[in-house]
Amino acid sequence: MKLGNSYLIGLLTLIVPFTSVFGQQQKPNVVLIYVDDLGYGDLGSYGAAKIKTPNLDALASDGIRFTNGHATAATCTPSRYSLMTGNYPFRQTGTGILPGDAKLIIPQDKVTLPKVFKQAGYQTAVIGKWHLGLGDQVDKDWNGSIKPGPLEVGFDYSFIFPATADRVPTVFLENHDVLGVDHNDKIVVSYTQKVGNEPTGKENPDLLKMKNSPNHGHDNTIVNGIGRIGWMSGGKEAKWVDEELTLTFADKAIHFIQDHRQIPFFLSYNATEPHVPRMPATMFKGKSGLGYRGDAILQLDYTVGQLVKTLKDNQIYENTIIIFSSDNGPVLDDGYDDGAVTQLNGHNPFGPFSGGKYSAFEAGTRVPFFITWPKMIKKGTTSDALVCQVDLLSSFASFFNVKYNADEAVDSQNLWKSFTGKDLVGRAHLIKSSGTLSVLEGNFKYIKAGKGAKRNSLVNIELGNDEVDQLYDLSIDKGERNNIAESNPQKVMELKAILEKELRK
Ligand code: NG6
Ligand code: CA
C-alpha cells in the first residue's frame, strides 16, 4: 500500500499527539501565578532582604524579570478585568472593587484570555481568588447552581472563592456549585443588612481572634474568629478554614497539572497572599518575624515551589511558560491588626516607589513581573521594557494566531517579543487607572489633576491625587517627589493628548 507523505504525517500526529513530530513542537503549557497585593519590593529578586523567597527568586532568575511591569489598576477587580478582557478598566463602569455578591462583570460574548487558550486547543482552569462577580444578578441563591461565572467566560474548570478572603460568602465554588452545600442549613448572604444570628465584629468584638483595625469596617459576620465585610448565615459545612485556604488551592492546582500533563493547559493560579485577612497555615505562623503578612509571603513562596516541583516531576517544566505577577501594589494595614505594621522590621514592600495599593503613584501598579520558559527564554534576563498584564491576551493570541474582532481587547498589545526578551522597549505608553488616571511614557509619568483625597489615612498611603497636573521624570525621581509639570508644559500636553485620545477610543 502506498501512503502519501501528508497521510503519514497525519497518522503520526494522531499516534504521537503534541510531541515533537518533524520539528513540530508541543505547545507550551502556561501557568499564570497571579497574586494579591504583593509589592514591588516584597521579593528577594526585587531587592527584599528581610524576607526570604527562595522559590520565587529561583523562578525569577530562570527566565526574564521585568523592572517596569504593571497592573492596569491599583486594586484587584479592575486589574483582573483588564487581564481577562484586554481592556482598560475605565472603558466599563462597575469595574471597581466588587462586593462578594456582585454579578459577573466579564462579558460572555467577547474574547477573554482563557478563550484565546481554548481556541488554541488548551484545557483551561482558574484556581483561587476570582473577584469578578458571579451569576447574572446580585440577589442569587448560593445553594443552587451559580452561573454565569468562570466557565462561561473561557475556563473549562474552576475552583475559586467568590471575591476576597475578607468578604462573605467565605466558601469555595467548584464550577457552578458551592462546595459543602447543605439544604438544611442554607447559605444566605447580604451586603445591605444583617442576616441570621451569627455574631458580628461590631456586636461581639470579644469573639475576634484577630482584632480589626479601628474604623476599617470588617466588622460584619465573624467567620473563624475573623470579622468580614458583609453578612452571611448558614453554610456551616461550606465555610472555609482560613489556615487551609492556600493549601486547598495548591492541592487543586497540583492535581490539575498532574491530570493534564499530556495535553497543553492554561492554569490561572490566583493566590490570595498577602491580601487580608492574613491567616497562614500553622507551619508558617511566626516564621518570617514580620507578622502574618510576612508569613503569608513565605506561604506563597512555598506554594509556588510546590507547583514548580510538580511541573518538574512530570517532566513538563522545560516547556511550560510560567508568568508571575500581582494584581496591585502593597498595603500594610488593610483592616486587621495582624502585625504587618508593628513587625515590619525594616522590610520595604514598596521598593523605591511612593504610594501603594489604591494609589496612582508607582507602588500602586508597578509590581513584580517575571516569565520563565526554559525551552525558549534565556535565563537570567532582566528587562526594563514597559509591559502590562493587559497585553497577555493579544500576545498569546498572536502567538497562536487566534483572531478576534477589532472592537475587542482594544488595549491589549502584542508584546510577545518583549515578554520573551527579544525586545527591550515594550509599549510606547500605558494608561493606569487608580482613582485618577495616569500615563506612563518612556521615563515620564503624568498624573491627571483631580479632586480626590491626597492620602488614605486608614491605610496610611499617599493616593497620588493633586488639584494640579503632575509630571515626574522616573529616571531620576522614582519616588515621584518632584513635580516638574510647570517647567515642562510641552511634555504635559503631549501626555494629556495621549490620555484624551485613549479616552475617546
Ligand atoms: C477594601 C477593603 C480592603 C480590601 C479591599 C479589596 C475596607 C475598609 N477595605 O474595601 O480590606 O478588601 O477592599 O482589595 O473595607 S482588593 O485587592 O481585592 O482590591
Ligand atoms: Ca489585590
Side-chain angles (χ1 to χ4, degrees):
M1 189 167 60
K2 262 177 82 181
L3 293 174
N5 259 352
S6 61
Y7 178 82
L8 257 180
I9 293 171
L11 196 68
L12 271 170
T13 318
L14 269 180
I15 298 169
V16 199
F18 309 113
T19 49
S20 183
V21 180
F22 302 127
Q24 244 196 335
Q25 300 296 329
Q26 179 186 345
K27 288 176 180 168
N29 308 301
V30 179
V31 178
L32 169 65
I33 304 173
Y34 201 52
V35 310
D36 202 359
D37 296 7
L38 190 79
Y40 191 89
D42 270 323
L43 303 179
S45 43
Y46 282 81
K50 300 277 180 179
I51 188 159
K52 297 270 169 284
T53 51
N55 292 300
L56 286 161
D57 299 345
L59 203 54
S61 65
D62 217 10
I64 180 165
R65 186 183 68 92
F66 295 95
T67 61
N68 201 6
H70 298 259
T72 61
T75 52
C76 175
T77 302
S79 294
R80 284 161 202 262
Y81 173 82
S82 290
L83 178 76
M84 282 289 287
T85 63
N87 288 324
Y88 288 140
F90 63 74
R91 299 207 190 279
Q92 188 181 307
T93 52
T95 52
I97 301 172
L98 292 177
D101 59 354
K103 59 182 183 179
L104 178 71
I105 61 165
I106 305 294
Q108 293 169 67
D109 57 347
K110 297 267 165 37
V111 68
T112 61
L113 181 62
K115 280 186 192 169
V116 166
F117 285 101
K118 255 177 97 92
Q119 233 173 300
Y122 280 57
Q123 284 293 307
T124 58
V126 57
I127 294 173
K129 170 173 176 164
W130 179 241
H131 213 183
L132 291 166
L134 291 167
D136 51 18
Q137 52 191 0
V138 167
D139 191 13
K140 55 187 143 275
D141 180 7
W142 290 93
N143 309 281
S145 182
I146 300 167
K147 52 187 156 187
L151 301 198
E152 285 67 37
V153 295
F155 290 107
D156 295 309
Y157 174 73
S158 78
F159 188 94
I160 56 167
F161 66 58
T164 58
D166 55 349
R167 284 175 172 77
V168 300
T170 52
V171 297
F172 295 117
L173 274 99
E174 188 165 33
N175 299 324
H176 293 135
D177 301 300
V178 171
L179 236 65
V181 161
D182 173 357
H183 289 284
N184 295 316
D185 182 29
K186 285 196 189 278
I187 299 165
V188 180
V189 171
S190 170
Y191 275 75
T192 51
Q193 71 212 29
K194 183 175 175 182
V195 290
N197 299 315
E198 301 280 330
T200 65
K202 196 170 190 166
E203 296 155 328
N204 314 86
D206 47 308
L207 296 180
L208 296 172
K209 71 175 174 192
M210 183 164 59
K211 274 201 294 180
N212 292 332
S213 306
N215 308 317
H216 272 258
H218 293 115
D219 59 358
N220 304 140
T221 304
I222 297 175
V223 183
N224 300 318
I226 301 172
R228 314 280 167 163
I229 307 172
W231 293 269
M232 168 180 184
S233 72
K236 193 164 177 287
E237 292 299 320
K239 287 178 193 167
W240 73 56
V241 174
D242 295 78
E243 284 87 338
E244 293 173 3
L245 260 180
T246 288
L247 301 179
T248 307
F249 288 146
D251 180 64
K252 292 288 167 192
I254 287 167
H255 279 105
F256 179 83
I257 294 170
Q258 286 167 341
D259 292 350
H260 295 82
R261 64 186 179 275
Q262 285 174 331
I263 47 173
F265 60 81
F266 168 60
L267 167 63
S268 191
Y269 180 76
N270 299 0
T272 178
E273 294 101 342
H275 193 282
V276 297
R278 300 152 188 148
M279 191 48 69
T282 309
M283 65 192 268
F284 300 103
K285 281 184 179 166
K287 285 283 159 24
S288 69
L290 305 181
Y292 283 169
R293 184 174 188 278
D295 299 344
I297 294 174
L298 296 189
Q299 176 172 270
L300 169 69
D301 185 70
Y302 170 85
T303 310
V304 170
Q306 294 297 105
L307 298 186
V308 170
K309 182 177 183 303
T310 306
L311 294 168
K312 287 183 175 166
D313 289 350
N314 287 281
Q315 279 91 45
I316 52 175
Y317 175 71
E318 290 289 310
N319 196 28
T320 295
I321 299 175
I322 303 178
I323 305 161
F324 180 92
S325 202
S326 175
D327 65 346
N328 54 255
V331 55
L332 295 175
D333 181 353
D334 209 9
Y336 299 94
D337 185 4
D338 61 6
V341 176
T342 52
Q343 298 178 56
L344 191 58
N345 191 28
H347 173 57
N348 172 15
F350 309 91
F353 305 112
S354 295
K357 181 175 181 176
Y358 311 109
S359 176
F361 286 142
E362 283 299 277
T365 43
R366 197 187 295 218
V367 285
F369 199 138
F370 48 84
I371 303 182
T372 59
W373 184 10
K375 211 168 179 172
M376 298 299 274
I377 297 179
K378 197 163 161 274
K379 62 164 76 175
T381 312
T382 296
S383 170
D384 299 332
L386 176 58
V387 298
C388 181
Q389 295 154 7
V390 73
D391 302 316
L392 292 170
L393 194 159
S394 167
S395 302
F396 277 104
S398 96
F399 176 57
F400 296 131
N401 203 19
V402 165
K403 304 281 177 228
Y404 51 84
N405 296 330
D407 65 345
E408 299 175 302
V410 295
D411 301 307
S412 188
Q413 298 184 4
N414 174 12
L415 295 191
W416 188 256
K417 285 189 176 151
S418 318
F419 285 141
T420 51
K422 297 191 177 69
D423 160 85
L424 298 176
V425 176
R427 285 176 155 259
H429 54 76
L430 174 70
I431 315 292
K432 306 202 276 179
S433 322
S434 312
T436 183
L437 293 168
S438 57
V439 183
L440 258 185
E441 189 216 33
N443 289 325
F444 288 97
K445 162 105 172 262
Y446 162 75
I447 308 178
K448 191 175 160 37
K451 295 212 186 314
K454 290 198 177 153
R455 183 178 195 83
N456 180 334
S457 52
L458 273 181
V459 297
N460 193 22
I461 285 176
E462 282 184 306
L463 296 177
N465 297 316
D466 208 331
E467 299 89 34
V468 295
D469 281 329
Q470 297 171 75
L471 182 73
Y472 299 101
D473 179 351
L474 298 176
S475 68
I476 49 168
D477 182 20
K478 284 190 169 50
E480 294 163 276
R481 300 291 87 179
N482 184 22
N483 182 5
I484 55 169
E486 238 173 77
S487 49
N488 293 272
Q490 190 60 38
K491 196 77 204 172
V492 171
M493 258 174 51
E494 210 184 287
L495 298 192
K496 242 180 165 158
I498 291 175
L499 179 59
E500 271 152 27
K501 193 170 164 209
E502 287 296 333
L503 289 172
R504 278 197 306 270
K505 237 187 192 174

